[in-house]
Structure formats: structure tokens, C-alpha cells
Amino acid sequence: MDGTTTQEPHEPPRRGRLTERVLGGGEDPDPRFTLANERTFLAWIRTSLAFLAGGIAIEAFTGELFDEPVRTFLAVVLLLLSMLVSAGATFRWIGVERSMRRQVPLPLPLIAPLLAVGGAVAAGVLVVVVLQA
């Protein structure tokens, strides 16, 4: 022995099969971009939780303000928006992560127009109800 140590080639750690399947191929992006993607995902989730709380609040606390069909409609619209935004946030996060790994353009944010249309429908119903009161 000459006192030198030989190192075995270091193989980078591998991700699990599920992670590989969800994220697909490509190279790991800069961690700052991945963390920014996660923060955006969490912002969408907060929006989803706000819609959830709004739907529950409309149903629970506006019995004297709105007729039952209007109240139910508004609550259901907000609860459905909550579900769609939450699911859309997940697919958006995965799509952005895959794009960054493959270094291709980012996908369009399809949940943004959905959110705008849903919010407009709920606001429109409220305007009609207020004008009729």
C-alpha cells in the first residue's frame, strides 16, 4: 500500500420510481426554481382554501340575506371552484416541474381563466341579487 486511497466513482442518488414516473426525465432544475414553483403551488392552494371557506360561510351565515336556491348556488360554485383550483394547482405544479427539467417552455396556466370565470359567475349572481333587493 502506498498510502493513497482510491475512491469508487460516486453515483448520484436516485429518486424513487413514483417520482421518476411523475416528473419524467430530464435534469434537476436549479433548486431555487423548484422552490419558487412550490411557493406558487401553495399560493394556489391558499386561494382554494379561501374559496372553500367562502362557500361554507355563504351556506352557514347568509340564510337571512339570500333565498335558499341562491345561497345554495353560490355555495356550490365556490366549493366547486375550490376543488378545481386545488386539482389544477397540482397539475400545474407537475407541468411546470416537467418543463423545467426538460428545458422547454412552461405550460399555460389554465387554472387562471377558470378562476376568473368562476369568480365572475359568483360576482354576477351577487350583483343580480343585490339589485333585486
Side-chain angles (χ1 to χ4, degrees):
M1 262 203 169
D2 62 0
T4 61
T5 58
T6 58
Q7 274 188 328
E8 305 248 343
H10 184 4
E11 187 174 312
R14 292 183 48 88
R15 295 185 181 270
R17 278 189 277 158
L18 178 62
T19 303
E20 288 291 334
R21 186 173 183 176
V22 169
L23 296 179
E27 297 179 18
D28 285 342
D30 185 323
R32 294 174 292 181
F33 300 136
T34 295
L35 293 173
N37 190 25
E38 288 180 15
R39 285 190 300 273
T40 303
F41 168 76
L42 292 173
W44 283 113
I45 294 300
R46 283 191 300 272
T47 302
S48 173
L49 290 172
F51 280 118
L52 178 66
I56 292 170
I58 293 254
E59 184 59 34
F61 302 118
T62 62
E64 296 175 7
L65 296 174
F66 302 122
D67 293 333
E68 185 176 343
V70 172
R71 187 177 72 239
T72 301
F73 176 78
L74 285 174
V76 167
V77 166
L78 292 173
L79 294 173
L80 287 174
L81 274 174
S82 174
M83 290 170 46
L84 292 173
V85 168
S86 181
T90 302
F91 290 112
R92 172 81 179 152
W93 177 83
I94 291 169
V96 168
E97 191 68 24
R98 284 180 177 169
S99 293
M100 289 189 304
R101 294 172 144 284
R102 296 176 182 146
Q103 298 180 356
V104 298
L106 298 178
L108 289 174
L110 297 178
I111 56 177
L114 169 77
L115 187 59
V117 169
V121 167
V125 170
L126 284 173
V127 167
V128 169
V129 168
V130 168
L131 291 175
Q132 288 181 350

